[in-house]
Amino acid sequence: MEAVTQGETLGLEPLVAGERAKLFPAERFDGLDCLAATFRQHAYAPHQHDSYVMGVIEAGCETFRVRGARHYARPGQITFVNPLETHDGEPYGPGYSYRMTYPEVGLIREVAASLSGRDGIGTPFFPQPLVDDAEGAALFAAAHRAIEDGGDLLAGEEMLLRFYARCLMHHADLAVRPVGVESGSVARAREVFEARYEEDLSLADLARLTGLPRHHLIRAFRRETGLTPHAYLVDVRVRRARERLRRGEMPGDVAAATGFCDQPHLTRAFKARFGVTPGAFRAAHAA
Protein backbone atom coordinates (compact mmCIF):
# COMPACT_ATOMS: atom_id res chain seq x y z
CA MET A 1 0.00 0.00 0.00
CA GLU A 2 1.34 3.43 -0.96
CA ALA A 3 1.55 6.01 1.81
CA VAL A 4 -0.59 9.13 1.33
CA THR A 5 -0.80 12.59 2.87
CA GLN A 6 -3.70 13.59 5.08
CA GLY A 7 -4.81 16.08 2.45
CA GLU A 8 -5.11 13.24 -0.06
CA THR A 9 -7.21 11.11 2.30
CA LEU A 10 -9.59 14.02 2.92
CA GLY A 11 -10.07 14.49 -0.81
CA LEU A 12 -11.28 10.94 -1.39
CA GLU A 13 -14.81 11.54 -0.10
CA PRO A 14 -16.86 14.79 -0.02
CA LEU A 15 -18.06 16.10 3.32
CA VAL A 16 -21.76 16.23 4.18
CA ALA A 17 -23.79 18.85 6.03
CA GLY A 18 -22.54 19.41 9.57
CA GLU A 19 -19.02 18.25 8.75
CA ARG A 20 -15.91 20.40 8.50
CA ALA A 21 -12.21 19.80 8.01
CA LYS A 22 -9.43 22.35 8.25
CA LEU A 23 -5.91 21.30 7.33
CA PHE A 24 -3.21 23.84 8.19
CA PRO A 25 0.58 23.92 8.60
CA ALA A 26 2.43 24.35 11.87
CA GLU A 27 4.64 27.28 10.88
CA ARG A 28 7.47 26.53 13.33
CA PHE A 29 7.70 22.89 12.20
CA ASP A 30 8.78 22.38 8.61
CA GLY A 31 6.27 20.19 6.80
CA LEU A 32 4.06 19.41 9.80
CA ASP A 33 0.35 19.23 8.97
CA CYS A 34 -2.41 19.83 11.53
CA LEU A 35 -6.06 18.88 11.13
CA ALA A 36 -9.14 20.12 13.00
CA ALA A 37 -12.31 18.33 11.89
CA THR A 38 -15.84 17.29 12.74
CA PHE A 39 -17.25 14.22 11.01
CA ARG A 40 -20.78 12.80 11.11
CA GLN A 41 -20.53 10.22 8.33
CA HIS A 42 -17.07 10.60 6.81
CA ALA A 43 -15.16 7.30 6.84
CA TYR A 44 -11.48 6.87 6.00
CA ALA A 45 -10.55 3.94 3.80
CA PRO A 46 -7.58 1.86 5.05
CA HIS A 47 -4.41 3.84 4.34
CA GLN A 48 -0.88 4.57 5.55
CA HIS A 49 1.21 7.68 6.26
CA ASP A 50 4.97 8.10 6.11
CA SER A 51 4.58 10.17 9.27
CA TYR A 52 3.19 9.47 12.72
CA VAL A 53 -0.42 10.31 13.51
CA MET A 54 -0.94 11.83 16.97
CA GLY A 55 -3.94 13.63 18.32
CA VAL A 56 -7.07 13.75 20.45
CA ILE A 57 -10.83 13.47 20.25
CA GLU A 58 -12.54 16.62 21.56
CA ALA A 59 -16.13 15.39 21.41
CA GLY A 60 -17.93 12.18 20.46
CA CYS A 61 -16.20 8.95 19.54
CA GLU A 62 -14.08 7.76 16.60
CA THR A 63 -13.54 4.09 15.93
CA PHE A 64 -10.49 2.93 14.01
CA ARG A 65 -8.70 -0.30 13.21
CA VAL A 66 -4.93 -0.66 13.37
CA ARG A 67 -2.69 -3.71 13.84
CA GLY A 68 -5.68 -6.03 13.53
CA ALA A 69 -7.67 -4.57 16.44
CA ARG A 70 -10.54 -2.09 16.64
CA HIS A 71 -10.33 0.87 19.02
CA TYR A 72 -12.78 3.51 20.25
CA ALA A 73 -11.25 6.93 20.90
CA ARG A 74 -12.95 9.43 23.21
CA PRO A 75 -12.06 12.73 24.95
CA GLY A 76 -9.22 12.45 27.46
CA GLN A 77 -7.34 9.92 25.36
CA ILE A 78 -4.44 10.23 22.91
CA THR A 79 -4.30 8.29 19.66
CA PHE A 80 -1.09 7.02 18.07
CA VAL A 81 -0.47 5.54 14.64
CA ASN A 82 3.16 4.74 13.82
CA PRO A 83 4.60 5.41 10.34
CA LEU A 84 3.37 3.03 7.62
CA GLU A 85 0.78 1.36 9.86
CA THR A 86 -2.42 0.67 7.94
CA HIS A 87 -5.42 2.24 9.65
CA ASP A 88 -8.90 3.55 8.95
CA GLY A 89 -11.37 5.69 10.90
CA GLU A 90 -15.07 6.52 11.11
CA PRO A 91 -17.66 7.94 13.51
CA TYR A 92 -19.04 5.73 16.24
CA GLY A 93 -22.49 7.02 17.07
CA PRO A 94 -23.56 10.51 15.96
CA GLY A 95 -20.06 11.71 15.11
CA TYR A 96 -16.91 13.20 16.59
CA SER A 97 -14.65 16.25 16.57
CA TYR A 98 -10.91 15.81 16.71
CA ARG A 99 -7.52 17.44 16.34
CA MET A 100 -4.55 15.66 14.79
CA THR A 101 -0.93 16.23 13.83
CA TYR A 102 1.22 14.25 11.41
CA PRO A 103 4.82 14.66 12.63
CA GLU A 104 7.61 13.35 10.44
CA VAL A 105 9.97 10.71 11.81
CA GLY A 106 12.80 13.27 11.90
CA LEU A 107 10.90 15.56 14.27
CA ILE A 108 10.08 12.77 16.74
CA ARG A 109 13.67 11.57 16.57
CA GLU A 110 14.83 15.12 17.33
CA VAL A 111 12.76 15.23 20.50
CA ALA A 112 13.73 11.67 21.46
CA ALA A 113 17.44 12.44 21.03
CA SER A 114 17.06 15.52 23.24
CA LEU A 115 15.38 13.49 25.97
CA SER A 116 17.68 10.49 25.85
CA GLY A 117 20.98 12.29 25.20
CA ARG A 118 21.70 9.92 22.30
CA ASP A 119 22.01 11.23 18.74
CA GLY A 120 21.89 7.86 16.98
CA ILE A 121 18.46 6.93 18.26
CA GLY A 122 16.25 4.77 16.06
CA THR A 123 12.65 5.38 15.10
CA PRO A 124 10.54 5.63 18.29
CA PHE A 125 7.60 3.23 18.52
CA PHE A 126 4.31 3.75 20.34
CA PRO A 127 3.06 0.30 21.35
CA GLN A 128 -0.50 1.34 22.30
CA PRO A 129 -2.68 2.99 19.62
CA LEU A 130 -4.88 4.54 22.32
CA VAL A 131 -3.96 5.67 25.85
CA ASP A 132 -5.78 7.41 28.69
CA ASP A 133 -3.93 10.68 29.36
CA ALA A 134 -6.25 13.61 30.11
CA GLU A 135 -3.37 15.95 31.00
CA GLY A 136 -1.50 15.17 27.80
CA ALA A 137 -4.68 15.51 25.74
CA ALA A 138 -5.33 18.97 27.23
CA LEU A 139 -1.75 20.04 26.48
CA PHE A 140 -2.09 18.87 22.88
CA ALA A 141 -5.43 20.65 22.38
CA ALA A 142 -3.99 23.92 23.72
CA ALA A 143 -0.94 23.63 21.47
CA HIS A 144 -3.07 22.81 18.43
CA ARG A 145 -5.38 25.77 19.01
CA ALA A 146 -2.44 28.14 19.50
CA ILE A 147 -0.96 27.00 16.19
CA GLU A 148 -4.29 27.32 14.41
CA ASP A 149 -4.89 30.80 15.86
CA GLY A 150 -1.40 31.97 14.91
CA GLY A 151 -1.33 34.83 17.39
CA ASP A 152 1.35 33.40 19.68
CA LEU A 153 3.57 31.10 17.65
CA LEU A 154 6.12 30.56 20.42
CA ALA A 155 3.37 29.25 22.71
CA GLY A 156 2.21 26.74 20.10
CA GLU A 157 5.76 25.67 19.26
CA GLU A 158 6.70 25.14 22.89
CA MET A 159 3.52 23.30 23.91
CA LEU A 160 3.65 20.96 20.93
CA LEU A 161 7.27 20.03 21.63
CA ARG A 162 6.34 19.43 25.27
CA PHE A 163 3.46 17.22 24.14
CA TYR A 164 5.66 15.09 21.88
CA ALA A 165 8.21 14.80 24.68
CA ARG A 166 5.52 13.75 27.14
CA CYS A 167 4.31 11.08 24.74
CA LEU A 168 7.81 9.71 24.25
CA MET A 169 8.45 9.63 28.01
CA HIS A 170 5.13 8.11 29.07
CA HIS A 171 3.89 6.16 26.05
CA ALA A 172 6.97 5.01 24.07
CA ASP A 173 9.08 3.64 26.94
CA LEU A 174 11.93 6.02 26.13
CA ALA A 175 14.72 6.16 28.71
CA VAL A 176 15.12 9.83 29.65
CA ARG A 177 18.39 11.36 30.78
CA PRO A 178 18.05 13.93 33.59
CA VAL A 179 18.67 17.44 32.35
CA GLY A 180 22.03 18.84 33.43
CA VAL A 181 23.09 22.32 34.45
CA GLU A 182 23.08 24.65 31.43
CA SER A 183 23.50 27.97 33.22
CA GLY A 184 25.44 29.67 30.43
CA SER A 185 22.98 28.75 27.69
CA VAL A 186 19.96 29.64 29.81
CA ALA A 187 21.54 32.97 30.74
CA ARG A 188 22.06 33.68 27.04
CA ALA A 189 18.42 32.89 26.29
CA ARG A 190 17.31 35.20 29.10
CA GLU A 191 19.48 37.99 27.68
CA VAL A 192 17.83 37.53 24.30
CA PHE A 193 14.35 37.74 25.84
CA GLU A 194 15.24 40.87 27.79
CA ALA A 195 16.70 42.60 24.73
CA ARG A 196 14.31 41.38 22.01
CA TYR A 197 11.03 40.85 23.86
CA GLU A 198 8.99 42.65 21.20
CA GLU A 199 10.13 40.24 18.45
CA ASP A 200 8.39 37.09 17.26
CA LEU A 201 11.12 34.80 18.60
CA SER A 202 11.13 31.06 18.02
CA LEU A 203 12.69 28.18 19.89
CA ALA A 204 14.67 27.46 16.73
CA ASP A 205 16.15 30.99 16.97
CA LEU A 206 17.08 30.39 20.61
CA ALA A 207 18.53 26.97 19.81
CA ARG A 208 20.90 28.54 17.30
CA LEU A 209 21.93 31.25 19.76
CA THR A 210 22.41 28.95 22.75
CA GLY A 211 23.65 25.78 21.08
CA LEU A 212 20.96 23.66 22.74
CA PRO A 213 18.30 21.60 20.90
CA ARG A 214 14.83 23.07 21.18
CA HIS A 215 13.32 20.68 23.67
CA HIS A 216 16.50 20.42 25.72
CA LEU A 217 16.40 24.20 26.00
CA ILE A 218 12.83 24.03 27.36
CA ARG A 219 13.88 21.52 30.04
CA ALA A 220 17.09 23.34 30.97
CA PHE A 221 15.37 26.73 31.08
CA ARG A 222 12.64 25.41 33.35
CA ARG A 223 15.22 23.78 35.64
CA GLU A 224 17.15 27.06 36.01
CA THR A 225 14.26 29.55 36.22
CA GLY A 226 11.15 27.61 37.20
CA LEU A 227 9.49 28.87 33.99
CA THR A 228 9.35 27.67 30.42
CA PRO A 229 10.89 29.99 27.80
CA HIS A 230 7.46 31.17 26.67
CA ALA A 231 6.30 31.90 30.22
CA TYR A 232 9.50 33.83 30.88
CA LEU A 233 9.06 35.89 27.70
CA VAL A 234 5.48 36.76 28.67
CA ASP A 235 6.78 37.89 32.08
CA VAL A 236 9.35 40.15 30.41
CA ARG A 237 6.69 41.62 28.14
CA VAL A 238 4.36 42.29 31.08
CA ARG A 239 7.15 44.04 32.99
CA ARG A 240 7.94 46.25 30.00
CA ALA A 241 4.22 46.94 29.53
CA ARG A 242 3.93 48.00 33.17
CA GLU A 243 6.71 50.55 32.66
CA ARG A 244 4.94 52.04 29.65
CA LEU A 245 1.53 52.10 31.35
CA ARG A 246 3.05 53.88 34.34
CA ARG A 247 4.21 56.59 31.91
CA GLY A 248 0.63 56.98 30.66
CA GLU A 249 0.76 55.16 27.33
CA MET A 250 -2.50 53.68 26.06
CA PRO A 251 -2.99 49.88 26.54
CA GLY A 252 -3.46 49.22 22.83
CA ASP A 253 -0.23 51.01 21.97
CA VAL A 254 1.54 49.23 24.80
CA ALA A 255 0.39 45.82 23.58
CA ALA A 256 1.76 46.50 20.10
CA ALA A 257 5.07 47.85 21.46
CA THR A 258 5.77 44.95 23.79
CA GLY A 259 5.16 41.96 21.53
CA PHE A 260 1.59 41.00 22.43
CA CYS A 261 -0.57 39.98 19.50
CA ASP A 262 -3.39 42.31 20.61
CA GLN A 263 -4.76 44.22 23.61
CA PRO A 264 -6.85 41.31 24.97
CA HIS A 265 -3.70 39.17 25.03
CA LEU A 266 -1.93 41.86 27.07
CA THR A 267 -4.95 42.20 29.37
CA ARG A 268 -5.06 38.48 30.16
CA ALA A 269 -1.33 38.27 30.86
CA PHE A 270 -1.24 41.51 32.88
CA LYS A 271 -4.24 40.68 35.06
CA ALA A 272 -2.92 37.16 35.70
CA ARG A 273 0.24 38.68 37.20
CA PHE A 274 -0.95 41.92 38.82
CA GLY A 275 -4.63 41.33 39.51
CA VAL A 276 -5.83 44.41 37.62
CA THR A 277 -6.27 45.29 33.96
CA PRO A 278 -3.73 47.43 32.11
CA GLY A 279 -6.33 50.22 31.89
CA ALA A 280 -6.92 50.19 35.64
CA PHE A 281 -3.17 50.18 36.32
CA ARG A 282 -2.67 53.14 33.96
CA ALA A 283 -5.55 55.07 35.54
CA ALA A 284 -4.19 54.49 39.05
CA HIS A 285 -0.86 56.02 38.09
CA ALA A 286 -2.50 58.94 36.27
CA ALA A 287 -4.42 60.02 39.37
Side-chain angles (χ1 to χ4, degrees), residues 62-84:
E62 180 196 20
T63 181
F64 64 100
R65 180 176 291 275
V66 64
R67 284 182 249 156
R70 182 156 295 284
H71 303 273
Y72 298 85
R74 295 177 172 86
Q77 299 177 309
I78 301 173
T79 63
F80 300 102
V81 178
N82 294 290
L84 298 180

Side-chain angles (χ1 to χ4, degrees), residues 203-280:
L203 287 171
D205 295 332
L206 293 169
R208 285 189 293 270
L209 291 168
T210 62
L212 297 180
R214 288 187 294 180
H215 187 261
H216 188 79
L217 175 61
I218 295 172
R219 296 177 72 205
F221 200 98
R222 196 169 197 169
R223 182 185 185 278
E224 294 283 332
T225 69
L227 298 171
T228 66
H230 176 260
Y232 186 90
L233 176 58
V234 173
D235 262 14
V236 173
R237 288 173 170 170
V238 168
R239 284 190 272 116
R240 297 295 179 269
R242 181 177 58 177
E243 294 166 3
R244 288 175 174 268
L245 291 165
R246 188 177 281 122
R247 295 197 297 265
E249 296 184 31
M250 297 299 293
D253 296 333
V254 170
T258 52
F260 289 99
C261 57
D262 52 31
Q263 186 173 334
H265 189 194
L266 166 63
T267 298
R268 289 192 297 272
F270 197 93
K271 189 172 182 180
R273 287 157 179 81
F274 296 115
V276 297
T277 66

Side-chain angles (χ1 to χ4, degrees), residues 146-147 149-157 200 230 233-234 237 261 265:
I147 292 169
D149 178 67
D152 191 342
L153 294 177
L154 179 60
E157 180 186 15
D200 186 20
H230 176 260
L233 176 58
V234 173
R237 288 173 170 170
C261 57
H265 189 194

Side-chain angles (χ1 to χ4, degrees), residues 19-190:
E19 295 187 326
R20 67 175 184 86
K22 179 181 179 182
L23 191 66
F24 54 93
E27 294 187 22
R28 297 286 173 85
F29 300 88
D30 185 37
L32 174 61
D33 285 332
C34 302
L35 173 67
T38 296
F39 294 137
R40 307 299 183 197
Q41 300 179 20
H42 180 80
Y44 291 110
H47 62 283
Q48 300 175 343
H49 298 288
D50 289 323
S51 64
Y52 292 89
V53 182
M54 298 188 197
V56 302
I57 306 298
E58 293 198 300
C61 179
E62 180 196 20
T63 181
F64 64 100
R65 180 176 291 275
V66 64
R67 284 182 249 156
R70 182 156 295 284
H71 303 273
Y72 298 85
R74 295 177 172 86
Q77 299 177 309
I78 301 173
T79 63
F80 300 102
V81 178
N82 294 290
L84 298 180
E85 286 188 329
T86 301
H87 61 288
D88 59 13
E90 63 184 76
Y92 181 75
Y96 66 97
S97 297
Y98 76 153
R99 290 180 177 272
M100 288 287 152
T101 59
Y102 304 85
E104 298 293 335
V105 172
L107 173 57
I108 301 304
R109 281 179 176 166
E110 172 196 331
V111 180
S114 171
L115 288 168
S116 67
R118 295 184 288 116
D119 290 332
I121 196 165
T123 301
F125 180 76
F126 294 92
Q128 300 299 325
L130 188 63
V131 299
D132 293 319
D133 185 351
E135 184 177 343
L139 175 61
F140 176 84
H144 205 275
R145 288 194 185 91
I147 292 169
E148 181 181 17
D149 178 67
D152 191 342
L153 294 177
L154 179 60
E157 180 186 15
E158 181 181 280
M159 286 190 289
L160 193 58
L161 284 170
R162 288 173 51 209
F163 169 77
Y164 291 147
R166 178 186 177 88
C167 290
L168 286 164
M169 289 189 288
H170 295 287
H171 308 307
D173 300 323
L174 182 74
V176 178
R177 183 187 67 176
V179 64
V181 177
E182 302 283 3
S183 299
S185 295
V186 171
R188 176 60 182 143
R190 293 174 70 172

